[in-house]
Each structure stands twice: as C-alpha cells, then as structure tokens.
Amino acid sequence: MESSRATTRRHLSTSPFQRRVPAPIETFEVGDRVSHDKEGIGRITIVEGTEAVVVDLGKGRLLRVPAPFHKLHSL
C-alpha cells in the first residue's frame, strides 16, 4: 500500500517551519569603513576574495575576519 505522504509537502507562508534560505555573504572593498562587534571600528585594508578580509583597527592592530562576516558590519 502506498503512503499518501509520499508526495512532496507544500510549505504554507504562515508556517513556522519554513525552509531557511541562507543570507548572501556580504562583500567588502578596500577602504570600506566597518564595525566589528567585539573589536570596534576599522577600515578594510585587504580583501581575500570571498574568503576573508583584513581590517585595520588603528595603532598597528590588524584583524583577519574569515567569511561569513557575522560580526562585521558596513558603516
């Protein structure tokens, strides 16, 4: 006997169990001003493709932030 649930289930727009679509990875350019949740404000000095960025936080402090950039926000 074939189960009636063998078909693909349709998700309702009001369902709390909707499929999550990952947010696109934010892109940065050299010279962009950014804010890091823990380290503070800085400027992008090196962009390593979509894999990582290096942030100059001032006073010789450099911070390499790997993707995804959850703690890094554009200003």
Coordinates of all heavy atoms in Angstrom, one line a residue:
M1 N 0.8 -1.2 0.0 CA 0.0 0.0 0.0 C 0.9 1.2 0.0 O 1.9 1.3 0.7 CB -0.9 0.0 1.2 CG -1.8 1.1 1.3 SD -3.2 0.6 2.3 CE -3.3 2.0 3.4
E2 N 0.5 2.2 -0.8 CA 1.3 3.4 -1.0 C 0.9 4.5 0.0 O -0.3 4.7 0.2 CB 1.2 3.9 -2.4 CG 2.3 4.8 -2.8 CD 2.2 5.1 -4.3 OE1 2.1 4.1 -5.1 OE2 2.3 6.3 -4.6
S3 N 1.8 5.1 0.6 CA 1.5 6.2 1.6 C 1.1 7.4 0.9 O 1.6 7.8 -0.1 CB 2.8 6.4 2.5 OG 2.5 7.6 3.3
S4 N 0.1 8.1 1.5 CA -0.3 9.4 0.9 C 0.7 10.5 1.2 O 0.6 11.5 0.6 CB -1.7 9.8 1.6 OG -1.5 10.0 2.9
R5 N 1.7 10.3 2.1 CA 2.7 11.3 2.4 C 3.9 11.2 1.5 O 4.9 11.8 1.7 CB 3.1 11.2 3.8 CG 2.0 11.6 4.7 CD 2.5 11.9 6.1 NE 1.4 12.2 7.0 CZ 1.3 13.4 7.5 NH1 2.2 14.4 7.2 NH2 0.3 13.7 8.3
A6 N 3.9 10.3 0.5 CA 5.0 10.1 -0.4 C 5.2 11.3 -1.3 O 6.3 11.4 -1.9 CB 4.8 8.8 -1.2
T7 N 4.2 12.1 -1.5 CA 4.3 13.3 -2.3 C 5.1 14.4 -1.6 O 5.3 14.4 -0.4 CB 2.9 13.9 -2.7 OG1 2.3 14.2 -1.5 CG2 2.1 12.8 -3.5
T8 N 5.6 15.4 -2.3 CA 6.3 16.5 -1.8 C 5.3 17.4 -1.0 O 4.3 17.7 -1.5 CB 7.0 17.3 -2.9 OG1 7.7 16.5 -3.7 CG2 7.9 18.4 -2.3
R9 N 5.7 17.8 0.2 CA 4.9 18.6 1.0 C 5.0 20.0 0.7 O 6.1 20.5 0.4 CB 5.2 18.4 2.5 CG 4.9 17.0 2.9 CD 5.2 16.8 4.4 NE 3.9 16.7 5.1 CZ 3.8 16.7 6.4 NH1 4.8 16.9 7.1 NH2 2.6 16.6 6.9
R10 N 3.9 20.8 0.7 CA 3.9 22.2 0.4 C 4.0 23.0 1.7 O 3.3 22.7 2.7 CB 2.6 22.5 -0.4 CG 2.5 23.9 -0.8 CD 1.2 24.1 -1.6 NE 0.0 23.7 -0.9 CZ -0.9 24.5 -0.3 NH1 -0.7 25.8 -0.4 NH2 -1.9 24.1 0.3
H11 N 4.9 24.0 1.7 CA 5.0 24.8 2.9 C 4.1 26.0 2.8 O 4.1 26.7 1.8 CB 6.5 25.3 3.1 CG 7.4 24.2 3.4 ND1 7.6 23.7 4.7 CD2 8.2 23.4 2.6 CE1 8.4 22.7 4.7 NE2 8.9 22.5 3.4
L12 N 3.3 26.2 3.8 CA 2.4 27.4 3.9 C 3.2 28.6 4.2 O 4.2 28.6 4.9 CB 1.3 27.2 4.9 CG 0.4 26.0 4.6 CD1 -0.5 25.8 5.8 CD2 -0.3 26.1 3.3
S13 N 2.8 29.8 3.8 CA 3.5 31.0 4.0 C 3.5 31.4 5.5 O 4.4 32.2 6.0 CB 2.9 32.2 3.2 OG 1.6 32.4 3.6
T14 N 2.6 30.9 6.3 CA 2.5 31.2 7.7 C 3.1 30.2 8.6 O 3.1 30.3 9.8 CB 1.0 31.4 8.1 OG1 0.3 30.2 7.8 CG2 0.4 32.6 7.4
S15 N 3.7 29.2 8.0 CA 4.3 28.1 8.7 C 5.5 28.5 9.5 O 6.4 29.1 8.9 CB 4.6 26.9 7.8 OG 5.3 25.9 8.5
P16 N 5.7 28.1 10.8 CA 6.9 28.4 11.5 C 8.1 27.5 11.1 O 9.2 27.7 11.5 CB 6.5 28.2 12.9 CG 5.5 27.3 12.9 CD 4.7 27.5 11.6
F17 N 7.8 26.5 10.2 CA 8.8 25.5 9.8 C 9.2 25.7 8.4 O 9.5 24.7 7.7 CB 8.2 24.1 10.1 CG 7.8 23.9 11.5 CD1 6.4 23.8 11.8 CD2 8.7 23.7 12.5 CE1 6.0 23.6 13.1 CE2 8.3 23.5 13.8 CZ 7.0 23.5 14.1
Q18 N 9.2 26.9 7.9 CA 9.6 27.2 6.5 C 11.1 26.8 6.3 O 11.9 26.9 7.3 CB 9.4 28.6 6.2 CG 7.9 29.0 6.1 CD 7.8 30.5 5.7 OE1 8.7 31.1 5.4 NE2 6.6 30.9 5.8
R19 N 11.4 26.5 5.1 CA 12.8 26.3 4.8 C 13.6 27.6 4.9 O 13.1 28.6 4.4 CB 12.9 25.8 3.4 CG 12.3 24.4 3.2 CD 12.5 23.9 1.8 NE 11.7 22.7 1.6 CZ 11.4 22.2 0.5 NH1 11.8 22.8 -0.6 NH2 10.7 21.1 0.4
R20 N 14.7 27.5 5.5 CA 15.6 28.7 5.7 C 16.5 28.9 4.5 O 17.2 28.0 4.1 CB 16.4 28.6 6.9 CG 15.5 28.6 8.1 CD 16.3 28.6 9.4 NE 15.5 28.3 10.5 CZ 15.3 29.2 11.5 NH1 15.8 30.4 11.4 NH2 14.5 28.9 12.5
V21 N 16.5 30.1 3.9 CA 17.3 30.4 2.8 C 18.5 31.1 3.4 O 18.4 32.1 4.1 CB 16.6 31.3 1.8 CG1 17.5 31.7 0.6 CG2 15.4 30.6 1.2
P22 N 19.7 30.7 3.1 CA 20.9 31.3 3.7 C 21.1 32.8 3.1 O 20.8 33.0 2.0 CB 22.1 30.5 3.3 CG 21.6 29.7 2.2 CD 20.1 29.5 2.3
A23 N 21.4 33.7 4.0 CA 21.6 35.1 3.6 C 22.9 35.1 2.7 O 23.8 34.4 2.9 CB 21.8 36.0 4.8
P24 N 22.9 36.0 1.7 CA 24.1 36.1 0.9 C 25.2 36.6 1.7 O 25.0 37.5 2.6 CB 23.6 37.1 -0.2 CG 22.5 37.8 0.3 CD 21.8 36.9 1.3
I25 N 26.4 36.2 1.3 CA 27.6 36.7 2.0 C 27.9 38.1 1.6 O 27.9 38.4 0.4 CB 28.8 35.8 1.7 CG1 28.6 34.4 2.2 CG2 30.1 36.4 2.3 CD1 29.7 33.4 1.9
E26 N 28.1 39.0 2.6 CA 28.3 40.4 2.3 C 29.7 40.6 1.7 O 30.6 39.9 2.1 CB 28.2 41.2 3.6 CG 28.2 42.7 3.4 CD 27.8 43.4 4.7 OE1 27.5 42.8 5.7 OE2 27.9 44.7 4.6
T27 N 29.8 41.5 0.8 CA 31.1 41.8 0.1 C 31.6 43.1 0.6 O 30.8 44.0 0.8 CB 30.9 41.7 -1.4 OG1 30.0 42.7 -1.8 CG2 30.5 40.4 -1.9
F28 N 32.9 43.2 0.7 CA 33.6 44.4 1.1 C 34.6 44.8 0.1 O 35.1 44.0 -0.6 CB 34.2 44.2 2.5 CG 33.2 44.0 3.6 CD1 33.0 42.7 4.1 CD2 32.5 45.0 4.2 CE1 32.1 42.4 5.1 CE2 31.6 44.7 5.2 CZ 31.4 43.4 5.6
E29 N 35.0 46.1 0.1 CA 36.0 46.6 -0.8 C 37.1 47.3 0.1 O 36.8 47.7 1.2 CB 35.5 47.6 -1.8 CG 34.5 47.0 -2.8 CD 34.0 48.0 -3.8 OE1 34.5 49.1 -3.9 OE2 33.0 47.6 -4.5
V30 N 38.3 47.3 -0.5 CA 39.4 48.0 0.2 C 39.0 49.5 0.5 O 38.5 50.2 -0.4 CB 40.7 47.9 -0.6 CG1 41.8 48.8 0.0 CG2 41.1 46.5 -0.7
G31 N 39.1 49.9 1.7 CA 38.8 51.3 2.1 C 37.5 51.4 2.7 O 37.1 52.5 3.3
D32 N 36.6 50.4 2.7 CA 35.3 50.5 3.4 C 35.5 50.6 4.9 O 36.4 49.9 5.5 CB 34.5 49.2 3.1 CG 33.9 49.1 1.7 OD1 34.1 50.1 1.0 OD2 33.4 48.1 1.4
R33 N 34.7 51.5 5.5 CA 34.7 51.6 7.0 C 33.7 50.5 7.5 O 32.6 50.4 7.0 CB 34.3 53.0 7.4 CG 35.1 54.0 6.9 CD 35.9 54.9 7.8 NE 35.3 55.1 9.1 CZ 36.1 55.2 10.2 NH1 37.4 55.1 10.2 NH2 35.5 55.4 11.4
V34 N 34.2 49.8 8.6 CA 33.4 48.7 9.1 C 33.4 48.8 10.6 O 34.3 49.4 11.2 CB 33.9 47.3 8.6 CG1 33.7 47.1 7.2 CG2 35.3 47.1 9.0
S35 N 32.5 48.1 11.2 CA 32.4 48.0 12.7 C 32.4 46.5 13.0 O 31.5 45.7 12.5 CB 31.1 48.6 13.2 OG 30.9 48.4 14.6
H36 N 33.3 46.1 13.9 CA 33.3 44.7 14.4 C 32.6 44.7 15.7 O 32.9 45.5 16.6 CB 34.8 44.2 14.4 CG 34.9 42.7 14.7 ND1 34.9 42.2 16.0 CD2 35.0 41.7 13.9 CE1 35.0 40.9 15.9 NE2 35.1 40.6 14.7
D37 N 31.8 43.7 16.0 CA 31.0 43.6 17.2 C 31.9 43.6 18.5 O 31.6 44.2 19.5 CB 30.1 42.4 17.3 CG 29.0 42.5 16.3 OD1 28.7 43.6 15.8 OD2 28.3 41.4 16.1
K38 N 33.1 43.0 18.4 CA 33.9 42.8 19.6 C 35.1 43.8 19.6 O 35.5 44.3 20.6 CB 34.5 41.4 19.6 CG 34.9 40.9 20.9 CD 35.2 39.4 20.9 CE 35.4 38.9 22.2 NZ 35.8 37.4 22.2
E39 N 35.7 44.0 18.4 CA 36.9 44.8 18.3 C 36.8 46.3 18.0 O 37.7 47.1 18.2 CB 37.8 44.2 17.2 CG 38.2 42.8 17.4 CD 39.1 42.6 18.6 OE1 39.8 43.5 19.0 OE2 39.0 41.5 19.2
G40 N 35.6 46.7 17.5 CA 35.4 48.1 17.2 C 35.4 48.5 15.8 O 35.2 47.7 14.9
I41 N 35.7 49.8 15.5 CA 35.6 50.4 14.2 C 37.0 50.3 13.5 O 38.0 50.5 14.1 CB 35.1 51.8 14.3 CG1 33.7 51.9 14.8 CG2 35.2 52.5 12.9 CD1 33.2 53.2 15.0
G42 N 37.0 50.0 12.2 CA 38.2 50.0 11.4 C 37.9 50.2 10.0 O 36.8 50.5 9.5
R43 N 39.0 49.9 9.2 CA 38.9 50.1 7.7 C 39.5 48.9 7.0 O 40.5 48.3 7.5 CB 39.7 51.4 7.3 CG 39.5 51.7 5.9 CD 40.3 53.0 5.5 NE 39.8 54.2 6.3 CZ 38.8 54.9 6.0 NH1 38.1 54.7 4.9 NH2 38.5 56.0 6.7
I44 N 38.8 48.4 6.0 CA 39.2 47.2 5.2 C 40.5 47.6 4.5 O 40.6 48.6 3.8 CB 38.2 46.8 4.2 CG1 36.8 46.5 4.9 CG2 38.7 45.6 3.4 CD1 36.8 45.2 5.7
T45 N 41.6 46.8 4.7 CA 42.9 47.0 4.0 C 43.2 45.9 3.0 O 43.8 46.2 2.0 CB 44.0 47.0 5.0 OG1 44.0 45.8 5.8 CG2 43.9 48.2 6.0
I46 N 42.7 44.7 3.2 CA 43.0 43.6 2.2 C 41.7 42.8 2.1 O 41.0 42.5 3.1 CB 44.1 42.7 2.7 CG1 45.4 43.5 2.9 CG2 44.3 41.5 1.8 CD1 46.5 42.7 3.6
V47 N 41.3 42.5 0.9 CA 40.2 41.6 0.6 C 40.7 40.3 -0.1 O 41.4 40.4 -1.1 CB 39.2 42.3 -0.4 CG1 38.0 41.3 -0.7 CG2 38.6 43.5 0.3
E48 N 40.5 39.2 0.6 CA 40.9 37.9 0.1 C 39.8 37.2 -0.6 O 39.3 36.1 -0.2 CB 41.5 37.0 1.2 CG 42.7 37.7 1.9 CD 43.1 36.9 3.1 OE1 42.5 35.9 3.4 OE2 44.1 37.4 3.8
G49 N 39.3 37.7 -1.7 CA 38.1 37.2 -2.4 C 36.9 37.2 -1.5 O 36.6 38.2 -0.9
T50 N 36.2 36.1 -1.5 CA 35.0 35.9 -0.7 C 35.3 35.2 0.6 O 34.4 34.8 1.4 CB 33.9 35.2 -1.4 OG1 34.3 34.0 -1.8 CG2 33.4 36.1 -2.6
E51 N 36.6 34.9 0.8 CA 37.0 34.0 1.9 C 37.3 34.8 3.2 O 37.1 34.3 4.3 CB 38.2 33.2 1.5 CG 37.9 32.2 0.4 CD 39.1 31.6 -0.2 OE1 40.2 31.6 0.5 OE2 39.0 31.0 -1.2
A52 N 37.9 36.0 3.1 CA 38.3 36.7 4.3 C 38.6 38.2 4.0 O 38.9 38.5 2.8 CB 39.5 36.1 5.0
V53 N 38.7 39.0 5.0 CA 39.1 40.4 4.9 C 40.0 40.7 6.0 O 40.0 40.1 7.1 CB 37.9 41.4 4.8 CG1 37.1 41.2 3.6 CG2 37.1 41.3 6.1
V54 N 40.9 41.7 5.8 CA 41.8 42.1 6.9 C 41.4 43.6 7.2 O 41.3 44.4 6.4 CB 43.3 42.1 6.5 CG1 44.2 42.7 7.6 CG2 43.7 40.7 6.2
V55 N 41.1 43.8 8.5 CA 40.7 45.1 9.0 C 41.8 45.8 9.8 O 42.3 45.2 10.7 CB 39.4 44.9 9.9 CG1 38.9 46.3 10.4 CG2 38.3 44.2 9.1
D56 N 42.1 47.0 9.5 CA 43.0 47.8 10.2 C 42.2 48.6 11.3 O 41.3 49.4 11.0 CB 43.7 48.9 9.3 CG 44.7 49.7 10.1 OD1 45.0 49.4 11.2 OD2 45.2 50.7 9.5
L57 N 42.5 48.2 12.6 CA 41.7 48.8 13.7 C 42.4 50.0 14.3 O 41.9 50.6 15.3 CB 41.5 47.7 14.8 CG 40.7 46.5 14.3 CD1 40.8 45.4 15.3 CD2 39.3 46.9 14.0
G58 N 43.5 50.4 13.7 CA 44.3 51.6 14.2 C 45.4 51.1 15.2 O 45.3 50.0 15.7
K59 N 46.4 52.0 15.3 CA 47.5 51.7 16.2 C 48.2 50.4 15.9 O 48.7 49.7 16.8 CB 47.1 51.8 17.7 CG 46.5 53.1 18.1 CD 46.2 53.1 19.6 CE 45.6 54.5 20.0 NZ 45.2 54.5 21.4
G60 N 48.3 50.1 14.6 CA 49.0 48.9 14.2 C 48.3 47.6 14.4 O 48.9 46.5 14.2
R61 N 47.0 47.6 14.9 CA 46.3 46.4 15.1 C 45.6 46.0 13.8 O 44.8 46.7 13.2 CB 45.2 46.6 16.2 CG 45.8 46.8 17.5 CD 44.8 47.0 18.6 NE 43.4 46.6 18.2 CZ 42.3 46.9 18.8 NH1 42.4 47.7 19.9 NH2 41.2 46.5 18.4
L62 N 45.9 44.8 13.4 CA 45.2 44.2 12.2 C 44.4 43.0 12.6 O 44.8 42.2 13.5 CB 46.2 43.8 11.1 CG 47.0 44.9 10.5 CD1 48.1 44.3 9.5 CD2 46.2 45.9 9.8
L63 N 43.2 42.8 12.0 CA 42.3 41.7 12.4 C 41.9 41.0 11.1 O 41.3 41.7 10.2 CB 41.1 42.2 13.1 CG 40.0 41.2 13.5 CD1 40.6 40.2 14.5 CD2 38.8 41.9 14.0
R64 N 42.2 39.7 11.0 CA 41.7 38.9 9.8 C 40.3 38.3 10.2 O 40.2 37.6 11.2 CB 42.7 37.8 9.4 CG 42.3 37.1 8.2 CD 43.4 36.1 7.8 NE 43.0 35.4 6.6 CZ 42.3 34.3 6.5 NH1 41.8 33.8 7.6 NH2 42.0 33.8 5.3
V65 N 39.3 38.6 9.4 CA 38.0 38.1 9.6 C 37.6 37.2 8.5 O 37.4 37.6 7.4 CB 36.9 39.3 9.7 CG1 35.6 38.8 10.0 CG2 37.4 40.3 10.7
P66 N 37.4 35.9 8.8 CA 37.0 34.9 7.8 C 35.5 35.0 7.5 O 34.7 35.4 8.3 CB 37.4 33.6 8.4 CG 37.3 33.8 9.8 CD 37.7 35.2 10.1
A67 N 35.1 34.6 6.3 CA 33.7 34.6 5.9 C 33.0 33.4 6.6 O 33.7 32.4 6.9 CB 33.6 34.4 4.4
P68 N 31.8 33.4 6.9 CA 30.8 34.6 6.7 C 31.1 35.6 7.8 O 31.5 35.4 8.9 CB 29.5 33.9 6.9 CG 29.7 32.7 7.8 CD 31.1 32.3 7.5
F69 N 30.8 36.9 7.4 CA 31.1 38.0 8.2 C 30.0 38.4 9.2 O 29.4 39.5 9.1 CB 31.5 39.2 7.3 CG 32.5 38.8 6.2 CD1 32.1 38.7 4.9 CD2 33.8 38.6 6.5 CE1 33.0 38.4 3.9 CE2 34.7 38.3 5.6 CZ 34.3 38.2 4.3
H70 N 29.7 37.5 10.1 CA 28.5 37.8 11.0 C 28.8 38.9 12.0 O 27.9 39.6 12.3 CB 28.2 36.5 11.8 CG 27.7 35.4 11.0 ND1 26.6 35.4 10.3 CD2 28.3 34.1 10.8 CE1 26.4 34.3 9.6 NE2 27.4 33.5 9.9
K71 N 30.0 39.1 12.4 CA 30.3 40.1 13.4 C 30.8 41.4 12.7 O 31.2 42.3 13.4 CB 31.4 39.6 14.4 CG 30.9 38.5 15.2 CD 31.9 38.1 16.2 CE 31.3 37.0 17.1 NZ 32.2 36.6 18.1
L72 N 30.8 41.5 11.4 CA 31.4 42.7 10.7 C 30.2 43.4 10.0 O 29.5 42.7 9.2 CB 32.4 42.2 9.7 CG 33.4 43.2 9.2 CD1 34.3 43.7 10.4 CD2 34.4 42.6 8.2
H73 N 30.1 44.7 10.2 CA 29.0 45.5 9.6 C 29.6 46.7 8.9 O 30.5 47.4 9.4 CB 28.0 45.9 10.6 CG 27.6 44.8 11.5 ND1 26.7 43.8 11.1 CD2 27.9 44.4 12.8 CE1 26.5 43.0 12.1 NE2 27.2 43.3 13.1
S74 N 29.0 47.0 7.7 CA 29.4 48.2 7.0 C 28.9 49.5 7.7 O 27.8 49.5 8.3 CB 28.9 48.2 5.6 OG 29.5 47.2 4.8
L75 N 29.7 50.6 7.6 CA 29.2 51.8 8.2 C 28.9 52.8 7.0 O 29.2 52.7 5.9 CB 30.4 52.5 9.0 CG 30.7 51.7 10.3 CD1 31.9 52.4 11.0 CD2 29.6 51.6 11.2

